[in-house]
DNA sequence: TTGAAAGCGATACCAA
DNA sequence: TTGGTATCGCTTTCAA
């Protein structure tokens, strides 16, 4: 196994100089550096991560904490985004999944104990309760939240502007002429917080702002179909309920695309025409949304993760960051699942 | 920063004993071990990964090498599968993406240089050419292939039985009464090998086995629509070609679900009824397949990755493995995109 | 700009 | 079953 020492000898310099040259510190004379680099190349040498880490205290290891599997639209996008900015700087981006952590405690204990071993943490969709928060802040390890609103224990955070998103959805529906609108919640299967949970509230707020009467706005809560298994069954029930109601909304905003698409299908099975009878708006713009012609509020988690990763990188380098809280806007992608309501059409016909 | 030494002192033992106890080596008296464990707990202590790695030579770091983004159906599943078996043993599973590596050389050089820093490698969908192969075998680091047929430089591999898969597809189509069948290739956007590439050949073989005449089997090669951007355009062209042909196949096997679904949509836009006019079979059973009612050959990459990871774990532990080559079977999932051909139906009507 | 030497925090060998 | 000690390969003062 070739070591830094071998390289130094071959280049006729001291270990320290070789180390400096290889790491790109600019206190090395160009000539010397070149000599060392070529020695290193000819020996196929690369620094030992563990030795470097041990000596410097920097582990070049960033933890990405998930509450759901990695092969999920959002999680995978986070990994990709973080990878894109962190990998080039030599950071390992290490996924960690919290399984049964109903109590975030176990998790924070683990983190606490890992103190030596982590340079930074990215927390996608994590809710911080006061207890774990203390732990986190005692960590002294840069931590940035992703899809989380800012908390004092976070050094920075990148969050989706769900409020504006809901506002634009409601505005769009009003513009189309809808007078009875609804919001469908999604059961949170993630053990942590997802900012999606706050969308319902913002939807109501927005409806109020745009002068919808309380009676004309209906929220279908997640509790109604809280299941671990398939969404088909509960959403089919919901569809039946909606289809058979007289004063059903003519437009539905659904917490995310996955549920929106299933609901759309279930409604169609009942003979409900979309968008003629009911317009549907999803959230995310995942791969299926385009396929199904679903109008949706598009978010780009890869992009968000890149921003979070860049913030973390700055933090780890000790650089100042511009602002602690970064808000990301969604954009409304209009497709075939929305239109003016039937009444409106008839009237204008 | 608390160290092993602090724990040892608190427990009144030597560093060595503390180390042994904490790592679970069974040459420590239970009483002693307990004492040490509680000392460690009270200090919120965890071993330093870098120090352990440096001293032991084991880095607890496994590289997963990709030729495509992580937020991809297959890649994300590989990560998840590997995570499920490797994480509990304390391994970091670190994704590495090869971007421009048209020449695998750069990549293998990097690997070679990382010798110190890696305990094991999982190679999903990697093609090994003879040049890089030498490099790999000189690595002396356990390497297992995933979705790759066995190569002498791999210590083990897990592969999809594409041959059987194609056979079952052809058999199924024959059973349905199809007499003209076709296979649609997919442009490989991965810089590496995907076993998908061999499916076309196996399809032809299977057709021969089942006595399809050469004239009744058509392969639509990937070259026809080799693009980097969207698949829509080339597949719409292909759809037009098929729709306007007199002796078009009545059943199409498509290299993967993604392409199958797009093709299906393009055909429908042209008025082609599926499955009445043309039956379609995909491959993968990704999330969209069920949504679109696509008959497909289901593979489970999470499962495959778990097997690969287990093999790697055994290899890294120095345990013997049962066999170097593990074949995984696909299963045919029948949905609404396939049926008997129209002629058959008319005949039987 | 370069070199010498003291750690970094564990593991593993050899003794006891 | 436990302890003493050399060692892993690099970074980082401090001096020159």
């Amino acid at each position: 196994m070739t070591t830094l020492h071998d390289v130094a000898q071959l280049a006729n310099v001291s270990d320290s100089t070789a180390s400096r040259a290889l790491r790109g510190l600019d206190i090395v004379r160009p000539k010397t550096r070149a000599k060392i680099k070529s020695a290193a190349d000819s020996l196929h040498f690369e620094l030992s991560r563990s030795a470097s880490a041990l000596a410097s205290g920097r582990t070049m290891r960033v933890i990405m904490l998930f509450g759901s599997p990695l092969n999920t639209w959002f999680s995978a996008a986070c990994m990709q985004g973080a990878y894109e900015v962190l990998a080039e700087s030599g950071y390992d981006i290490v996924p960690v999944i919290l399984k049964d952590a109903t109590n975030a405690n176990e998790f924070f204990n683990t983190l606490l104990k890992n103190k030596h071993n982590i340079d930074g943490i990215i927390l996608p969709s994590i809710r911080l309760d006061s207890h774990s928060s203390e732990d986190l802040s005692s960590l002294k390890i840069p931590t940035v939240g992703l899809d989380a609103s800012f908390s004092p224990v976070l050094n920075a955070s990148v969050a989706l502007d769900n409020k504006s998103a809901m506002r634009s959805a409601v505005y769009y529906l009003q513009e189309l002429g809808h007078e009875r609108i609804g919001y469908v919640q999604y059961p949170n299967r993630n053990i942590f917080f997802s900012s999606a949970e706050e969308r319902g509230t913002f939807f109501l707020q927005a409806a109020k702002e745009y002068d919808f009467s309380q009676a004309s706005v209906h929220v279908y809560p997640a509790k109604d179909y809280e299941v671990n298994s398939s969404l088909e069954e509960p959403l089919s029930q919901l569809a039946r309920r909606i289809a058979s109601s007289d004063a059903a909304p003519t437009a539905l905003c659904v917490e995310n695309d996955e549920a929106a698409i299933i609901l759309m299908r279930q409604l169609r099975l009942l003979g409900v025409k979309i968008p003629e009878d009911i317009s549907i708006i999803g959230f995310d713009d995942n791969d299926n949304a385009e396929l199904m012609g679903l109008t949706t509020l598009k978010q780009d988690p890869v992009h968000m993760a890149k921003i979070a990763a860049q913030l973390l990188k700055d933090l780890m380098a000790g650089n100042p960051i511009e602002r602690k809280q970064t808000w990301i806007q969604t954009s409304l992608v209009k497709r075939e699942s929305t239109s003016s309501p039937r009444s409106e059409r008839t009237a204008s016909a």
Side-chain angles (χ1 to χ4, degrees), chain A residues 21-301:
Chain A
L22 260 19
R23 280 179 299 152
L25 303 191
D26 40 329
I27 45 172
V28 180
R29 195 196 302 155
K31 221 170 164 178
T32 316
R33 176 194 310 284
K35 196 171 52 176
I36 295 172
K37 291 236 172 182
S38 84
D41 276 351
S42 74
L43 293 172
H44 287 306
F45 173 77
E46 187 171 86
L47 290 169
S48 152
R49 293 195 143 236
S50 8
S52 296
L54 184 56
S56 71
R58 265 169 275 104
T59 64
M60 301 309 280
R61 188 169 177 263
V62 168
I63 296 292
M64 193 138 199
L65 209 62
F66 295 104
S68 52
L70 305 175
N71 56 338
T72 260
W73 180 72
F74 193 79
S75 301
C78 290
M79 285 293 295
Q80 175 63 23
Y83 181 89
E84 285 176 25
V85 351
L86 256 14
E88 62 187 16
S89 305
Y91 287 100
D92 278 358
I93 124 103
V94 180
V96 171
I97 303 178
L98 274 19
K99 337 104 203 281
D100 51 20
T102 316
N103 49 348
N105 299 353
E106 176 191 347
F107 136 57
F108 281 106
N109 273 327
T110 308
L111 265 194
L112 269 172
K113 291 168 64 175
N114 262 291
K115 214 167 358 210
H116 311 252
N117 297 322
I118 305 178
D119 282 356
I121 306 175
I122 297 182
L123 297 179
S125 302
I126 296 288
R127 163 189 288 127
L128 296 163
D129 49 23
S130 55
H131 181 75
S132 45
S133 300
E134 296 174 27
D135 294 352
L136 234 199
S137 55
S138 74
L139 266 186
K140 309 289 182 205
I141 296 178
T143 303
V144 358
L146 181 45
D147 182 38
S149 39
F150 184 70
S151 140
V153 298
L154 257 25
N155 297 291
S157 84
V158 180
L160 216 51
D161 189 346
N162 283 297
K163 190 166 188 170
S164 298
M166 288 301 112
R167 213 185 259 142
S168 69
V170 170
Y171 176 77
Y172 173 57
L173 292 177
Q174 185 169 63
E175 210 180 18
L176 286 174
H178 290 274
E179 295 178 345
R180 292 191 312 282
I181 60 179
Y183 182 86
V184 177
Q185 290 185 327
Y186 179 81
N188 183 8
R189 313 153 143 233
N190 195 304
I191 56 165
F192 292 114
F193 171 75
S194 157
S195 79
E197 294 177 22
E198 57 186 43
R199 286 174 203 154
T201 310
F202 288 139
F203 183 85
L204 284 175
Q205 275 182 26
K208 206 173 204 172
E209 277 182 48
Y210 288 111
D211 296 318
F212 279 85
S213 75
Q214 201 162 326
S216 62
V217 182
H218 198 101
V219 169
Y220 300 92
K223 319 171 187 75
D224 283 359
Y225 54 104
E226 195 94 40
V227 267
N228 290 321
S229 53
S230 163
L231 284 175
E232 299 277 346
E233 179 46 26
L235 284 174
S236 120
Q237 280 179 28
L238 181 62
R240 247 170 283 143
R241 218 177 102 198
I242 294 174
S244 64
S245 139
D246 289 337
T250 58
L252 251 25
C253 205
V254 185
E255 195 165 301
N256 62 42
D257 289 347
E258 186 191 347
I261 288 169
I262 297 177
L263 180 60
M264 187 155 67
R265 190 165 50 164
Q266 293 296 340
L267 283 169
R268 280 183 173 143
L269 287 177
L270 296 171
V272 176
K273 297 228 176 313
I274 292 166
E276 293 83 351
D277 300 325
I278 299 186
S279 286
I280 305 245
I281 300 185
F283 201 112
D284 281 349
D285 196 32
N286 70 14
D287 297 336
N288 297 339
E290 188 184 359
L291 209 58
M292 305 302 291
L294 178 68
T295 292
T296 196
L297 289 153
K298 178 192 182 70
Q299 68 163 315
D300 180 353

Side-chain angles (χ1 to χ4, degrees), chain A residues 1-13:
Chain A
M1 191 115 311
T2 65
T3 70
L4 178 62
H5 187 69
D6 301 329
V7 175
Q9 288 209 311
L10 184 57
N12 263 311
V13 295

